[in-house]
Amino acid sequence: VDVLTVVGVGLIGASAALAARAQGVARRIVGVDRSVGVLERAVRLGVIDEATGDLPAGVANAGLVLFCSPVDRIAEQVVTAAALCHPGTLLTDVGSTKAAIVRAVRGRLPDHLAFVPGHPLAGSEKNGPDFATAELFCNRLVVLTPDGQTADPAVDQIELFWQTLGARVCRMDAAEHDQALALTSHLPHLLASALAGILPPELASLTATGFRDTTRLAGGLPRLWQAILLDNREAILAAVEKLQRQIERYRQALDTADTDVLEALLTEAKKIRDRL
Amino acid sequence: VDVLTVVGVGLIGASAALAARAQGVARRIVGVDRSVGVLERAVRLGVIDEATGDLPAGVANAGLVLFCSPVDRIAEQVVTAAALCHPGTLLTDVGSTKAAIVRAVRGRLPDHLAFVPGHPLAGSEKNGPDFATAELFCNRLVVLTPDGQTADPAVDQIELFWQTLGARVCRMDAAEHDQALALTSHLPHLLASALAGILPPELASLTATGFRDTTRLAGGLPRLWQAILLDNREAILAAVEKLQRQIERYRQALDTADTDVLEALLTEAKKIRDRL
């Protein structure tokens, strides 16, 4: 495309910009963000060519707009941007939850525009454009969740966009995506935060790589994750309850000093983990 | 020392052997293990010079014996070995739990021998001598838990041994160690296993680095971890219950869609995690 506009120049948005530039996907990259500091930093790092805090101005000449904002803001931004885009502009996003966004956008776009909902399964506990890298999406999976109303050519183009950035792409239903990610991504985040949250400060020096890896996700931005957890709360509640039952199995095995049950639980878990 | 004997040539034992050799700590390294396969592999990899399945034969000429077996086997091996060692031989271990081992050994050693209980906070989800590395202990913390009956010069020598292998060393009470590690190491392991255990096979392709890091510890050997969890079960039960209460806080915040509580929990967790 001629102009790629990235809305939300955090770790994901800035990494997509760097990757798009490295692959020659866009002649010019525009960054839109609420934070002047983030925009200045992104320009200085060469992540974006042009910066603005004004969404309408930022999308006016875009051929492709990539929404990388918190999930509770994406739908409104898509609708706002759509009113100002050229016919044929492609709109897509990277939100970690999909069904609510798809629902909120449905029926509110002009006929000449397509929004392709997407979610790259990539990230970091580090935040902001300083930690962005063009390799963030290499060999990672991007899930696209078009519905019956999404134009096929638009989906194909967004698929090609992510493949050009090094990612693998699959398509699935938005609700099915949210159900799956509740367990594979949102629950691990909640768990990492719960574990980090109960560490008394005086024990910090007695943590090693095990504690650090298990709690790595807790370094994510609370503002982003609060929105993700609430957006997908029903599926996450079900996943939390499933985990609570599993932890209770371990607790009971410990309580009754049941070696066999404990070893069976650990063995089953290792089998599943070793396959990943 | 002239001869270092490593009892249990798994990841930790083999890594200690490699590090000791790299630092010129011992002229000759003897490996003792129940598994002939492990011993053959360790000899072929140059981890040990001599291999035996017979503990008494393995320790007969040792100046230093390092016990790296499962925690439920260490105390008996220490007592057995002690009956056959030269006067002045140093005995130490790497068990992840300390109080039960200290208790089981107490009063059962000849006067001319000292056992210095230890625990290097280092490891990997990979197992066996093939994954051993001389750098495993670099900048890691080793906790020694001598009691009033442990001879000071022996403790100093074991401290120097680990420092020579690149580690930092601290000393603390065995019960205090077990209490702390229940939360910083044993609970994360249980949690990683609980989370891995509830992943349906069809969702494996939708996991990313977040799920993988959070469950990394679940790759540990069930035989080793079952013994650790049972050995320290009272402290771990208390830690599990603390975590259950914390997860319940998240569940309730989700259930009532309480944005403020959720963001406060995530913010507090991030603050603690970022400090590590």
Side-chain angles (χ1 to χ4, degrees):
Chain A
V1 297
D2 193 48
V3 175
L4 163 66
T5 296
V6 175
V7 182
V9 193
L11 179 89
I12 302 286
S15 294
L18 285 176
R21 189 187 301 285
Q23 297 303 325
V25 168
R27 197 187 52 79
R28 198 164 172 71
I29 302 179
V30 177
V32 179
D33 205 285
R34 288 180 164 193
S35 158
V36 175
V38 163
L39 288 174
E40 283 177 356
R41 193 78 196 127
V43 170
R44 189 161 327 147
L45 290 164
V47 167
I48 54 177
D49 301 300
E50 202 177 304
T52 175
D54 185 46
L55 180 62
V59 302
N61 298 306
L64 171 61
V65 186
L66 181 64
F67 294 87
C68 306
S69 332
V71 293
D72 54 354
R73 218 182 276 152
I74 289 174
E76 282 316 307
Q77 288 181 330
V78 168
V79 172
T80 303
L84 297 138
C85 287
H86 291 296
T89 299
L90 280 167
L91 309 175
T92 188
D93 80 315
V94 303
S96 296
T97 54
K98 301 265 60 84
I101 292 172
V102 169
R103 212 180 307 124
V105 169
R106 189 173 291 151
R108 297 173 67 196
L109 297 188
D111 285 342
H112 59 270
L113 286 179
F115 169 61
V116 181
H119 177 209
L121 307 193
S124 165
E125 75 286 7
K126 307 236 176 80
N127 309 298
D130 283 284
F131 298 99
T133 151
E135 287 75 44
L136 190 65
F137 308 104
C138 282
N139 294 314
R140 299 307 178 80
L141 185 67
V142 175
V143 183
L144 302 181
T145 64
D147 60 13
Q149 304 178 306
T150 322
D152 281 342
V155 184
D156 292 341
Q157 285 180 68
I158 296 300
E159 177 165 330
L160 184 61
F161 166 75
W162 284 112
Q163 286 170 340
T164 308
L165 269 50
R168 296 172 292 122
V169 177
C170 76
R171 302 177 188 194
M172 62 192 288
D173 174 69
E176 199 186 324
H177 164 277
D178 289 3
Q179 197 73 34
L181 273 286
L183 201 144
T184 62
S185 167
H186 311 157
L187 178 65
H189 195 100
L190 186 155
L191 203 56
S193 296
L195 179 59
I198 62 168
L199 182 74
E202 67 273 18
L203 296 190
S205 64
L206 290 168
T207 60
T209 53
F211 191 91
R212 278 173 216 158
D213 285 357
T214 312
T215 58
R216 181 178 67 78
L217 294 175
L221 289 175
R223 167 70 188 87
L224 294 183
W225 280 92
Q226 166 259 106
I228 292 167
L229 297 180
L230 282 177
D231 184 305
N232 198 23
R233 54 191 278 270
E234 284 186 32
I236 297 170
L237 276 169
V240 168
E241 282 155 21
K242 192 172 174 185
L243 181 80
Q244 286 179 316
R245 288 192 295 274
Q246 187 75 349
I247 292 176
E248 185 56 25
R249 281 194 194 101
Y250 281 84
R251 201 196 60 74
Q252 281 178 15
L254 278 177
D255 198 37
T256 57
D258 192 328
T259 316
D260 293 344
V261 168
L262 200 54
E263 192 156 344
L265 285 167
L266 293 169
T267 301
E268 172 67 9
K270 176 173 170 57
K271 211 169 76 184
I272 297 174
R273 181 56 182 79
D274 286 349
R275 271 199 222 108
L276 297 181
Chain B
V1 298
D2 192 47
V3 176
L4 162 67
T5 296
V6 175
V7 181
V9 193
L11 179 90
I12 302 284
S15 294
L18 285 175
R21 189 188 301 286
Q23 297 303 325
V25 169
R27 197 185 53 79
R28 198 164 172 71
I29 301 179
V30 177
V32 179
D33 205 286
R34 288 182 165 194
S35 157
V36 175
V38 163
L39 288 174
E40 284 177 356
R41 193 78 196 126
V43 169
R44 189 160 328 146
L45 291 164
V47 167
I48 53 176
D49 302 300
E50 202 176 305
T52 175
D54 185 47
L55 180 62
V59 302
N61 298 306
L64 171 61
V65 185
L66 181 64
F67 294 88
C68 306
S69 332
V71 293
D72 55 352
R73 218 182 278 153
I74 289 174
E76 282 315 307
Q77 288 181 329
V78 169
V79 172
T80 303
L84 296 138
C85 287
H86 290 296
T89 298
L90 279 166
L91 309 175
T92 188
D93 80 317
V94 303
S96 295
T97 53
K98 300 266 61 85
I101 292 171
V102 168
R103 211 180 308 121
V105 169
R106 189 171 292 150
R108 295 171 69 194
L109 296 188
D111 286 341
H112 59 270
L113 286 180
F115 169 61
V116 180
H119 176 208
L121 306 193
S124 165
E125 75 287 8
K126 308 235 176 81
N127 309 298
D130 283 282
F131 298 99
T133 151
E135 286 76 43
L136 190 66
F137 308 104
C138 282
N139 293 314
R140 299 306 179 80
L141 185 66
V142 175
V143 182
L144 302 182
T145 64
D147 61 11
Q149 302 179 307
T150 322
D152 282 342
V155 184
D156 292 342
Q157 286 181 70
I158 297 300
E159 177 165 328
L160 183 61
F161 167 75
W162 284 112
Q163 287 170 339
T164 307
L165 267 51
R168 296 171 292 122
V169 177
C170 76
R171 302 178 187 193
M172 62 193 289
D173 173 71
E176 199 187 323
H177 165 277
D178 288 4
Q179 196 73 34
L181 273 286
L183 201 143
T184 63
S185 167
H186 311 157
L187 178 65
H189 194 100
L190 185 154
L191 205 55
S193 297
L195 179 59
I198 62 168
L199 181 75
E202 67 273 19
L203 296 190
S205 64
L206 290 168
T207 59
T209 52
F211 191 90
R212 278 173 217 159
D213 285 358
T214 313
T215 58
R216 182 179 65 80
L217 293 175
L221 290 175
R223 167 69 188 89
L224 293 183
W225 280 93
Q226 166 261 103
I228 292 168
L229 297 180
L230 283 176
D231 184 305
N232 198 22
R233 55 191 278 268
E234 284 187 32
I236 297 170
L237 276 169
V240 168
E241 283 155 21
K242 192 172 175 185
L243 181 81
Q244 285 179 318
R245 287 192 296 274
Q246 186 76 348
I247 292 176
E248 185 57 24
R249 281 194 193 101
Y250 281 84
R251 202 196 60 74
Q252 282 180 15
L254 278 177
D255 199 36
T256 57
D258 192 329
T259 316
D260 293 344
V261 167
L262 201 53
E263 191 157 344
L265 285 167
L266 294 169
T267 302
E268 172 67 10
K270 176 171 170 58
K271 211 169 75 183
I272 297 174
R273 180 58 182 80
D274 287 349
R275 271 200 222 108
L276 296 182

